[in-house]
Amino acid sequence: MLEIQKKEVIRGNGIKIVKGNVLNPKDIQKTLEGCQVVINTFGQSLKGKQIYSSVTETILEKMAELQIERYIGVTGGSLTIDGDKKTLINKVGTRIFEIIFSNMMKDKKREWHFLSSNNLIENGL
């Protein structure tokens, strides 16, 4: 279960780390108010419904409402996207992920679709 636990602030460099409920769009909006950049490090267990794509979609919607133009996503999952130059071992690893973690990989592809169809993606990933 994802819930608000506490807020942590790194002092002196303008970065604020907030732990909160990503399932509540109002909490996301409140968290993003006053931000200039969003760094999304959302992760979840492989158990249960995968929500990467829905969380990212909500974040992007709230960013648009608040006129936040910079998004940095930190993610994993060995997703293959246009322009990737994977070695053979990485290609094998990606295929294994697609087989073993198929639900996660499908949701990560949906997440990538939201990101790539938005104007937040630049060349030079």
Side-chain angles (χ1 to χ4, degrees):
M1 182 171 158
L2 305 168
E3 57 186 46
I4 294 175
Q5 307 241 337
K6 64 180 178 176
K7 291 184 178 182
E8 299 176 24
V9 178
I10 298 174
R11 300 186 191 281
N13 59 5
I15 295 175
K16 185 177 192 180
I17 299 173
V18 179
K19 293 182 181 181
N21 185 345
V22 298
L23 299 175
N24 185 337
K26 290 180 182 178
D27 285 355
I28 290 175
Q29 177 151 354
K30 184 177 178 183
T31 299
L32 298 182
E33 288 173 354
C35 291
Q36 296 174 339
V37 177
V38 173
I39 301 173
N40 180 5
T41 61
F42 171 71
Q44 73 176 98
S45 168
L46 293 173
K47 297 176 183 176
K49 180 182 175 188
Q50 297 298 298
I51 58 174
Y52 292 104
S53 61
S54 61
V55 168
T56 298
E57 184 178 24
T58 302
I59 289 171
L60 295 177
E61 288 170 358
K62 297 305 176 186
M63 286 177 64
E65 290 173 19
L66 297 167
Q67 299 178 345
I68 302 170
E69 297 179 2
R70 179 81 176 175
Y71 176 88
I72 300 170
V74 180
T75 189
S78 200
L79 187 64
T80 300
I81 58 174
D82 290 341
D84 274 356
K85 294 180 176 119
K86 293 185 177 185
T87 63
L88 178 60
I89 192 83
N90 290 116
K91 289 177 184 177
V92 170
T94 296
R95 187 65 186 128
I96 291 170
F97 262 61
E98 289 171 347
I99 293 167
I100 296 174
F101 305 116
S102 61
N103 289 335
M104 178 190 73
M105 295 303 287
K106 287 175 188 171
D107 194 51
K108 296 300 267 172
K109 286 179 184 178
R110 281 191 293 273
E111 178 186 38
W112 175 248
H113 172 73
F114 294 131
L115 290 167
S116 62
S117 63
N118 196 294
N119 292 330
L120 297 170
I121 301 297
E122 299 175 10
N123 293 333
L125 304 165

